[in-house]
């Protein structure tokens, strides 16, 4: 469990918090195997015996004062009695994890009936309906163009299916023994595959085209679930054979009501919402008997256009190109609550949904995203099949451990409290500050804002310091081989088993008695995380322009507060034209990264305007990605790292600014840019021709690249560019500190120097 705070010394009171100009909060990665310093938890058993405070329900920890028969809660100060059993256990404190470390992971007892519910279940739902090329949709259809249309659609359909097949073959390699796998398809009909016989058998049920989309029969009546879910151990080759039979739906297969007509050719026929609803009810019938969590992989190539949950993609068009209308605000909200409601059905059915959208057409991910993020899954977007990392992402996602049915609870000492929480979870309907997480891997990160519980703040004179305790209850599936290694009896070794665990982290923070003390312990990456969550929320509620203004104004206020705190401005002369504003935070190294991070965030497609060519689906994808990243990864995604190499085996400089000037002045021949989702190796046009291109596999640069790829939650795209020969646009677009680097001519695109000048002027105006 990694926990990072915006400031490691908390502001002493409300006035100090406001004067600092900084957000106050933490980020939490609850299922991370180690803490932020690389230390693992101390493991133990009998978590149900851990004493709890009678007042705040906090857990006993190393910061609590213990007497023979009682203990004092480190969070609220309540004196609690100890049971005779606890007194006996604590007579040998070194034997109890809670007395050894403030970071513990304890096993909880589990119901005997739950031992049978552990078999992992995975279902692939593949889109067989496809989008028609936009340029041909609007053309006058002749016999020749109709034939051309069919050919183009067939080609794009086959490319999509080949990519999906590759991804599912990779997934089969990653699935552990004992897993069950089901293959389903959807278009204007739902197809269910039985692969347990010598020949794959598919049975179909048609999807009504109206918005109700209720099927004529239940999927259980189409095919028994026991026939649909095949054991991967014995059926892997048959599943692979079934994948080879997948073919796109042809136009003559579709009924006349499927989608929007175009001169006799019927477009669409993608009943995604109806298919998902039917699948959840189908799989959910065995929730608690066959499985504890089922994962559905939904592969989409366009927007749903028939049946329940159909979406109108016409809202994305020329009418939003005008600068007088905030297209970003119009396209960010969902157009129907159907998929948010469907996510609740998925959760009740024990299903987690991952959506893989492979399309460059408008698909309205603003509506679809809720099905994935609110069921505990992820949203992936690939705009092209050519360089898609979908197979690698599938394998990576299924190879790493995950927890499910998680409950996350953050408690604080009495002087302060949680203000807001951010992340892909849903709040408990009954208990305050309790979040439920359906599925959680080691990368998943959540954020919290703090506020003071009263005007008093923290005491200046006592030794009591701010306390924070995070409790994370979770369930994992333990494979049979791990049970055997743990010494389980032979009757259960052949089965997967469930393990419930309770992970607790208790932290003590210092108090900053002055603004300078607070500024000296800022973590700029965590500050960025909180800011990203806030601007995403502002964008969704009030539009992207409002999000940009919020971020800009925050930096102006921070700059003013810093200059005032460091006595760089004389009282009463803030508006004077002769006043010098330190916009670079030259006296505080911890604050110095913030102007660049804010500048880069304003230049990021997350906050670029619609009129600058940012696709609304790509913006939604970034919102979902950025709001789940841990701080270091998010910082890299917002402001890429540029390093230089004298040769593939020798690093020259560890960091450069993102400008052409940096390339020229460094004199290095090779540059490596890490933008989190993209890795680019760039050889200067003046590089020695004898340098090997691309760099050899056994060199330092390749080792660095491979290490980064292994550490990422998603697979970054790797590109090699030779300056003077290859198109260097992909690399140059990341040199954001240049003035109008893309040559787009928009006034919102400014270089970093101009940005600092603008912040300087805005700060002067603010100080007036």
């Amino acid at each position: 469990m990694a926990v990072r705070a915006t400031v490691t010394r908390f502001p002493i009171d409300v006035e100090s918090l406001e004067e600092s100009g900084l957000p106050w909060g933490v980020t939490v990665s609850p299922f991370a195997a180690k803490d932020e310093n690389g230390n693992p938890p101390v493991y133990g058993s009998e978590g149900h015996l851990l004493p709890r405070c009678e007042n705040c329900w906090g857990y006993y920890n190393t910061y609590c004062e213990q007497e023979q028969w009682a203990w004092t809660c480190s969070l609220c100060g309540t004196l609690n009695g100890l049971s005779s059993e606890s007194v006996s256990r604590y007579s040998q404190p070194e034997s109890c994890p809670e007395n050894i470390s403030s970071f513990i992971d304890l096993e909880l007892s589990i119901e005997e009936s739950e031992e049978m519910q552990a078999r992992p279940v995975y279902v692939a739902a593949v889109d067989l309906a496809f989008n028609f090329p936009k340029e041909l949709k609007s053309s006058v259809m002749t016999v020749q163009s109709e034939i051309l249309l069919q050919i183009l659609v067939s080609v794009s359909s086959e490319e999509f299916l080949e990519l999906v097949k590759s991804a599912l073959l990779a997934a089969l390699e990653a699935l552990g023994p004992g897993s069950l796998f089901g293959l389903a398809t959807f278009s204007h009909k739902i197809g269910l595959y039985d692969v347990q016989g010598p020949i794959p058998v598919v049975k179909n049920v048609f999807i009504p085209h109206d918005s109700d989309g209720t099927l004529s029969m239940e999927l259980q009546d189409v095919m028994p679930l026991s026939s649909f879910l095949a054991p991967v151990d014995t059926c892997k080759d048959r599943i692979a054979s079934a994948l080879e039979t997948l073919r796109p739906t042809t136009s003559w297969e579709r009924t006349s009501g499927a989608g929007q007509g175009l001169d006799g050719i019927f477009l669409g026929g993608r009943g995604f919402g109806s298919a998902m609803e039917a699948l959840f009810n189908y799989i959910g019938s065995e929730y608690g008997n066959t499985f504890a969590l089922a994962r559905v992989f939904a592969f989409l190539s366009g927007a749903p256009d028939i049946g329940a949950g159909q979406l109108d993609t016409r809202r994305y068009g020329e009418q939003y190109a005008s600068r007088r209308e905030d297209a970003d605000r119009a396209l960010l909200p969902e157009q129907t609550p159907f998929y948010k409601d469907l996510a609740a059905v998925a959760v009740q059915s024990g299903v987690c949904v991952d959506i893989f959208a492979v399309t460059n057409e408008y698909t309205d991910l603003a509506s679809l995203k809720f099905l994935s993020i609110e069921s505990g899954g992820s949203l992936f977007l690939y705009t092209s099949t050519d360089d898609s990392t979908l197979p690698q992402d599938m394998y990576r996602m299924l190879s790493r451990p995950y927890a499910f049915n998680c409950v996350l609870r953050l408690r604080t000492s009495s002087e302060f409290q949680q203000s807001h929480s951010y992340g892909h979870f849903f709040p408990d309907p009954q208990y305050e500050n309790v979040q439920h997480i359906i599925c959680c891997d080691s990368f998943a990160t959540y954020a919290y804002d703090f506020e003071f519980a009263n005007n008093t703040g923290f005491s200046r004179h006592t030794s009591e310091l701010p306390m924070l305790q995070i409790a994370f209850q979770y369930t994992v599936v333990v494979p049979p081989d791990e049970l055997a290694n743990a010494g389980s009896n032979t009757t259960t070794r052949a089965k997967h088993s469930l393990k419930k665990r309770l992970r607790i982290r208790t932290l003590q923070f210092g108090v900053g008695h002055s603004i300078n003390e607070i500024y000296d312990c800022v973590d700029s990456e965590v500050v960025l995380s909180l800011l990203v969550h806030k601007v995403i929320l502002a964008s969704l509620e009030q539009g992207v322009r409002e999000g940009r203004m919020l971020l800009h104004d925050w930096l102006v206020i921070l700059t003013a507060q810093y200059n005032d705190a460091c006595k760089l401005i004389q009282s009463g002369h803030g508006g004077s034209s002769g006043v010098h504003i330190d916009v670079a935070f030259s006296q505080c190294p911890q604050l110095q990264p913030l102007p660049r991070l804010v500048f880069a965030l304003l230049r990021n497609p997350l906050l670029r305007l619609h009129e600058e060519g940012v696709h609304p689906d790509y913006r939604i994808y970034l919102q979902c990605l950025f709001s789940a990243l841990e701080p270091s990864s998010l910082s890299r995604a917002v402001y890429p790292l540029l390093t230089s190499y004298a040769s593939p085996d020798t690093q020259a400089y560890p960091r450069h600014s993102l400008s052409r000037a940096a390339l020229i002045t460094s004199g290095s021949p090779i540059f490596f840019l890490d933008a989190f989702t993209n890795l680019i190796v760039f050889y200067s046009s003046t590089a020695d021709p004898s340098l090997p291109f691309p760099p050899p596999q056994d060199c330092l640069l390749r080792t660095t690249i491979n290490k980064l790829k292994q550490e990422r939650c998603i697979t970054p795209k790797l590109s090699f560019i030779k300056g003077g020969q290859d198109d260097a646009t992909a690399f140059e677009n990341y040199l954001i500190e240049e003035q109008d680097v893309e040559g787009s001519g928009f006034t919102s695109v400014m270089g970093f120097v101009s940005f600092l000048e603008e912040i300087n002027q805005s700060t002067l105006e603010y100080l007036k």
Side-chain angles (χ1 to χ4, degrees):
M1 180 187 291
V3 182
R4 292 174 61 179
T6 53
V7 285
T8 52
R9 285 181 177 270
F10 286 180
I12 196 164
D13 53 28
V14 176
E15 183 181 358
S16 179
L17 174 62
E18 292 177 351
E19 285 180 0
S20 73
L22 292 164
W24 179 28
V26 294
T27 60
V28 181
S29 306
F31 197 53
K34 298 179 179 180
D35 67 15
E36 63 281 2
N37 298 314
N39 302 311
V42 174
Y43 289 92
S45 57
E46 299 182 319
H48 64 287
L49 296 179
L50 189 63
R52 301 189 67 175
C53 177
E54 297 172 358
N55 178 46
C56 70
W57 291 98
Y59 292 91
Y60 174 88
N61 58 81
T62 54
Y63 294 101
C64 296
E65 294 180 3
Q66 183 191 339
E67 303 171 16
Q68 183 177 1
W69 294 96
W71 61 281
T72 302
C73 177
S74 61
L75 296 172
C76 68
T78 300
L79 184 67
N80 299 273
L82 283 171
S83 66
S84 56
E85 187 176 12
S86 295
V87 170
S88 175
R89 288 177 71 236
Y90 292 156
S91 63
Q92 295 180 315
E94 66 279 357
S95 65
C96 302
E98 60 267 32
N99 280 325
I100 300 172
S101 172
S102 59
F103 182 20
I104 58 175
D105 194 300
L106 308 178
E107 189 171 329
L108 297 172
S109 58
I110 197 166
E111 296 294 330
E112 189 173 335
S113 60
E114 291 183 287
E115 293 291 336
M116 296 293 292
Q117 303 173 14
R119 206 156 185 189
V121 169
Y122 304 91
V123 174
V126 182
D127 185 355
L128 296 186
F130 297 92
N131 285 336
F132 287 75
K134 189 191 303 180
E135 61 274 10
L136 288 180
K137 282 185 183 180
S138 58
S139 65
V140 177
M141 298 299 292
T142 63
V143 174
Q144 290 82 2
S145 61
E146 183 174 324
I147 294 172
L148 176 62
L149 178 61
Q150 295 288 355
I151 293 172
L152 285 173
V153 171
S154 175
V155 171
S156 65
S157 303
E158 292 294 344
E159 289 174 349
F160 169 79
L161 282 181
E162 285 304 315
L163 180 64
V164 172
K165 291 173 188 176
S166 298
L168 289 176
L169 289 174
L172 290 174
E173 294 303 316
L175 297 183
S179 302
L180 298 175
F181 183 87
L183 176 62
T185 61
F186 61 91
S187 55
H188 63 287
K189 58 187 178 183
I190 300 172
L192 302 177
Y193 282 74
D194 180 353
V195 299
Q196 298 182 57
I199 300 174
V201 175
V202 59
K203 294 185 178 180
N204 299 294
V205 58
F206 286 90
I207 298 172
H209 304 137
D210 55 49
S211 58
D212 177 57
T214 304
L215 303 184
S216 58
M217 60 191 303
E218 297 290 332
L219 296 187
Q220 183 67 37
D221 298 328
V222 178
M223 181 181 290
L225 191 61
S226 58
S227 300
F228 176 69
L229 295 176
V232 174
D233 302 12
T234 57
C235 297
K236 184 181 292 186
D237 291 340
R238 294 173 183 173
I239 295 169
S241 298
L243 292 175
E244 290 304 318
T245 67
L246 296 181
R247 295 289 182 271
T249 305
T250 55
S251 61
W252 59 266
E253 281 187 84
R254 305 188 187 121
T255 62
S256 60
Q260 182 182 356
L262 179 63
D263 292 344
I265 291 182
F266 296 98
L267 310 182
R270 184 177 291 106
F272 176 68
S274 295
M276 289 297 103
E277 191 170 33
L279 271 176
F280 298 160
N281 293 328
Y282 182 40
I283 302 167
S285 62
E286 281 298 305
Y287 177 40
N289 296 320
T290 302
F291 67 91
L293 178 76
R295 298 190 70 166
V296 171
F297 310 127
F299 299 92
L300 263 176
S301 68
D305 55 6
I306 64 168
Q310 55 187 275
L311 300 172
D312 182 8
T313 57
R314 292 174 297 181
R315 71 174 186 159
Y316 176 58
E318 295 302 319
Q319 67 269 34
Y320 295 121
S322 168
R323 297 190 184 189
R324 292 187 298 273
E325 185 167 2
D326 189 351
D328 310 298
R329 188 173 183 180
L331 294 169
L332 285 176
E334 71 273 21
Q335 59 174 288
T336 170
F338 176 82
Y339 291 99
K340 185 178 285 189
D341 297 339
L342 189 57
V345 175
V347 170
Q348 291 168 3
S349 304
V351 175
C352 163
V353 186
D354 297 291
I355 294 179
F356 302 88
V358 186
T359 176
N360 60 0
E361 298 280 339
Y362 176 61
T363 309
D364 192 13
L365 295 184
S367 297
L368 293 169
K369 67 176 182 182
F370 294 103
L371 181 56
S372 59
I373 63 175
E374 294 204 358
S375 70
S378 300
L379 175 68
F380 296 83
L381 175 64
Y382 308 92
T383 57
S384 169
T385 56
D386 295 336
D387 55 356
S388 172
T389 57
L390 173 56
Q392 297 93 323
D393 285 338
M394 282 290 294
Y395 185 85
R396 190 179 298 256
M397 181 177 71
L398 294 174
S399 298
R400 57 181 177 250
Y402 61 88
F404 58 95
N405 293 346
C406 314
V407 180
L408 185 62
R409 176 70 158 92
L410 182 145
R411 292 181 174 89
T412 65
S413 49
S414 55
E415 302 90 348
F416 69 111
Q417 61 194 13
Q418 176 185 319
S419 174
H420 295 95
S421 56
Y422 309 93
H424 298 168
F425 47 50
F426 64 92
D428 188 277
Q430 183 177 359
Y431 298 104
E432 193 176 8
N433 298 334
V434 175
Q435 284 86 31
H436 292 265
I437 304 167
I438 304 304
C439 189
C440 177
D441 64 20
S442 58
F443 293 99
T445 301
Y446 310 90
Y448 296 89
D449 257 342
F450 296 143
E451 64 183 6
F452 282 99
N454 51 54
N455 293 327
T456 306
F458 301 111
S459 173
R460 294 178 182 271
H461 308 294
T462 68
S463 59
E464 294 179 2
L465 294 171
M467 299 295 302
L468 183 65
Q469 187 177 81
I470 300 151
F472 180 62
Q473 181 179 304
Y474 64 97
T475 305
V476 290
V477 174
V478 182
D481 55 345
E482 289 188 23
L483 288 173
N485 294 336
S488 294
N489 60 66
T490 54
T491 59
T492 60
R493 283 184 191 176
K495 300 173 184 175
H496 285 72
S497 177
L498 292 183
K499 294 290 184 185
K500 278 188 177 178
R501 304 194 69 89
L502 176 63
R503 182 172 292 184
I504 299 172
R505 180 89 188 275
T506 309
L507 301 100
Q508 188 177 68
F509 292 90
V511 173
H513 293 273
S514 69
I515 298 299
N516 288 332
E517 281 189 14
I518 296 173
Y519 284 160
D520 286 341
C521 61
V522 170
D523 187 330
S524 60
E525 292 181 342
V526 185
V527 171
L528 176 68
S529 291
L530 268 292
L531 290 175
V532 165
H533 281 292
K534 290 174 184 291
V535 297
I536 287 175
L537 198 60
S539 298
L540 289 170
E541 293 177 351
Q542 299 171 286
V544 174
R545 281 182 173 81
E546 185 63 32
R548 291 179 62 87
M549 287 174 57
L550 176 72
L551 188 61
H552 175 275
D553 292 350
W554 173 82
L555 183 58
V556 168
I557 293 171
L558 176 67
T559 304
Q561 301 292 70
Y562 156 80
N563 276 267
D564 186 48
C566 295
K567 310 300 181 189
L568 301 177
I569 302 171
Q570 295 300 317
S571 177
H573 297 283
S576 166
S577 59
V579 170
H580 170 72
I581 301 292
D582 179 8
V583 294
F585 300 97
S586 57
Q587 294 189 17
C588 184
Q590 287 75 18
L591 294 177
Q592 286 172 11
L594 288 173
R596 269 192 167 85
L597 290 173
V598 170
F599 167 74
L601 187 53
L602 288 168
R603 291 292 305 271
N604 192 278
L606 180 76
L607 289 178
R608 295 278 288 274
L609 299 175
H610 177 79
E611 61 223 33
E612 295 178 54
V614 179
H615 197 287
D617 282 342
Y618 185 57
R619 193 191 308 279
I620 292 293
Y621 162 70
L622 288 180
Q623 287 183 354
C624 295
L625 174 65
F626 284 9
S627 57
L629 290 179
E630 56 86 27
S632 295
S633 297
L634 179 59
S635 176
R636 187 67 66 248
V638 170
Y639 190 90
L641 176 66
L642 181 64
T643 55
S644 61
Y645 286 75
S647 72
D649 266 316
T650 309
Q651 188 185 84
Y653 297 100
R655 180 183 291 272
H656 294 277
S657 61
L658 298 176
S659 65
R660 289 189 181 90
L663 305 186
I664 297 169
T665 56
S666 74
S668 301
I670 304 172
F671 294 88
F672 173 54
L673 185 131
D674 175 10
F676 188 74
T677 54
N678 289 283
L679 304 176
I680 300 176
V681 176
F682 177 78
Y683 277 54
S684 167
S685 58
T686 58
D688 188 335
S690 65
L691 288 173
F693 177 86
Q697 289 292 343
D698 58 350
C699 70
L700 173 65
L701 179 52
R702 282 282 195 173
T703 303
T704 302
I705 290 171
N706 292 335
K707 184 174 183 290
L708 288 172
K709 291 172 73 174
Q710 285 298 114
E711 294 171 346
R712 294 280 145 94
C713 60
I714 59 174
T715 309
K717 294 178 185 176
L718 176 60
S719 306
F720 299 96
I721 299 174
K722 201 164 189 178
Q725 296 183 24
D726 303 328
D727 182 5
T729 304
F731 176 72
E732 291 172 349
N733 281 347
Y734 283 108
L735 304 179
I736 56 174
E737 296 194 19
E738 295 289 342
Q739 180 78 26
D740 195 10
V741 65
E742 296 170 349
S744 56
F746 285 101
T747 54
S748 61
V749 180
M750 64 170 67
F752 184 58
V753 174
S754 300
F755 173 74
L756 290 181
E757 291 172 354
E758 199 276 331
I759 293 297
N760 180 79
Q761 190 58 39
S762 297
T763 304
L764 285 171
E765 292 295 324
Y766 174 77
L767 289 170
K768 285 181 180 179

